[in-house]
């Protein structure tokens, strides 16, 4: 991927290195109410390991979706 206006003049990896923390800082607070509700809904699951894996999958999937959007958006301009 060459640099372009949508990538702030950065390569794909540079763009993702900037995009990911920025997106996480802006979008994770929006995920907090959903995560709280989700944790209450899986409270009946006895295993704390299973709850941790499910919560990590929820947050990780959310972040991966936004990172994927960054890849698509960054490559659109090239």
């Amino acid at each position: 991927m060459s640099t372009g206006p949508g990538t702030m003049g950065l390569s794909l990896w540079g763009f993702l290195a900037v995009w990911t923390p920025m997106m996480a800082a802006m979008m994770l607070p929006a995920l907090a109410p959903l995560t709280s509700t989700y944790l209450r809904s899986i409270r009946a699951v006895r295993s704390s390991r299973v709850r941790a894996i499910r919560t990590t999958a929820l947050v990780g999937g959310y972040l991966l979706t936004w990172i994927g959007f960054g890849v698509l958006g960054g490559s659109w301009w090239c």
Side-chain angles (χ1 to χ4, degrees):
M1 176 174 133
S2 61
T3 61
T7 61
M8 300 174 288
L10 301 170
S11 68
L12 175 61
W13 298 113
F15 172 73
L16 289 177
V18 173
W19 167 265
T20 302
M22 178 274 307
M23 175 274 314
M26 290 175 46
M27 298 310 289
L28 284 179
L31 184 63
L34 173 69
T35 305
S36 176
T37 302
Y38 182 68
L39 287 173
R40 279 188 299 237
S41 74
I42 64 171
R43 187 179 301 158
V45 175
R46 290 193 176 272
S47 172
S48 62
R49 181 173 179 259
V50 171
R51 286 193 309 264
I53 290 170
R54 287 182 179 180
T55 304
T56 302
L58 173 72
V59 174
Y62 187 77
L63 291 175
L64 285 175
T65 301
W66 277 106
I67 291 169
F69 180 77
V71 168
L72 290 174
S75 61
W76 167 262
W77 293 102
C78 296

